[in-house]
Amino acid sequence: MENKKSCVGKIVKKQRPVNLDLRTINQPISAIASILHRISGVITFIAVGILLWLLGMSLSSQEGFQHASEIMTGFFAKFILWGILTALGYHICGGIRHVLMDFGLLEESLAAGKASAKVAIVIAVILSILAGVLVW
Ligand code: HEM
């Protein structure tokens, strides 16, 4: 039976934000930098397996090296490698930003957080372009 005396649920519902659709909320640059750091960390984690598999194949024998070289000539493989390097580049930029903040070397303000997020993203884009030049 419903407890008619309790109005807790109704009050909480009224106070809650109406829109929780992440696609329509305008995210600040620091939030974008943060989620990109997590995504790039996960991609880098998966990449360790792919790169170790490729390294293992290339070191197994002369034929293995030839096979690994052939795999890396394909557009899809190059695209994956470029993606891995881009993710790693961003993760390192974002990681250095985090370390600087943790050591108190960056000012603890909203403006500094936004500015450092922008700098990390711009450097990562430059590194991504350089990675593309390296891969192709
Ligand atoms: C094989 C290499 C690496 C892998 C697989 C990796 C993966 C990850 C993952 C999955 C996270 C968790 C992200 C989250 O939960 O939001 C993380 C966090 C972090 N990574 Fe990496 N990472 C690697 C290399 C690096 C490097 C080279 C740096 C330094 C420049 C770095 C700095 C950080 C920092 C500072 C955090 C914590 C960020 C926070 O406090 O939110 N990582 N990493």
Side-chain angles (χ1 to χ4, degrees), residues 110-128:
L110 187 62
K114 283 185 173 183
S116 61
K118 262 185 211 159
V119 170
I121 291 172
V122 168
I123 295 175
V125 169
I126 295 169
L127 289 177
S128 171

Side-chain angles (χ1 to χ4, degrees), residues 30-109:
S30 43
I32 295 168
S34 176
I35 190 68
L36 283 179
H37 194 247
R38 177 166 289 188
I39 293 169
S40 63
V42 173
I43 293 174
T44 306
F45 177 71
I46 296 166
V48 171
I50 297 172
L51 295 177
L52 282 178
W53 165 73
L54 206 60
L55 180 69
M57 186 195 294
S58 75
L59 294 177
S60 62
S61 62
Q62 203 171 345
E63 293 77 39
F65 180 82
Q66 286 297 333
H67 189 48
S69 302
E70 276 162 27
I71 289 174
M72 287 317 300
T73 53
F75 176 82
F76 187 64
K78 285 185 176 185
F79 183 74
I80 297 283
L81 183 62
W82 172 76
I84 288 172
L85 291 174
T86 297
L88 180 63
Y90 180 76
H91 196 78
I92 290 174
C93 292
I96 291 171
R97 172 175 174 258
H98 269 285
V99 172
L100 292 177
M101 286 193 297
D102 291 348
F103 276 96
L105 297 169
L106 282 179
E107 196 189 306
E108 278 188 37
S109 68

Side-chain angles (χ1 to χ4, degrees), residues 14-30:
K14 272 186 185 167
Q15 288 171 345
R16 282 184 175 171
V18 179
N19 181 21
L20 281 177
D21 187 351
L22 291 178
R23 293 164 304 172
T24 58
I25 296 174
N26 202 2
Q27 301 288 348
I29 187 89
S30 43

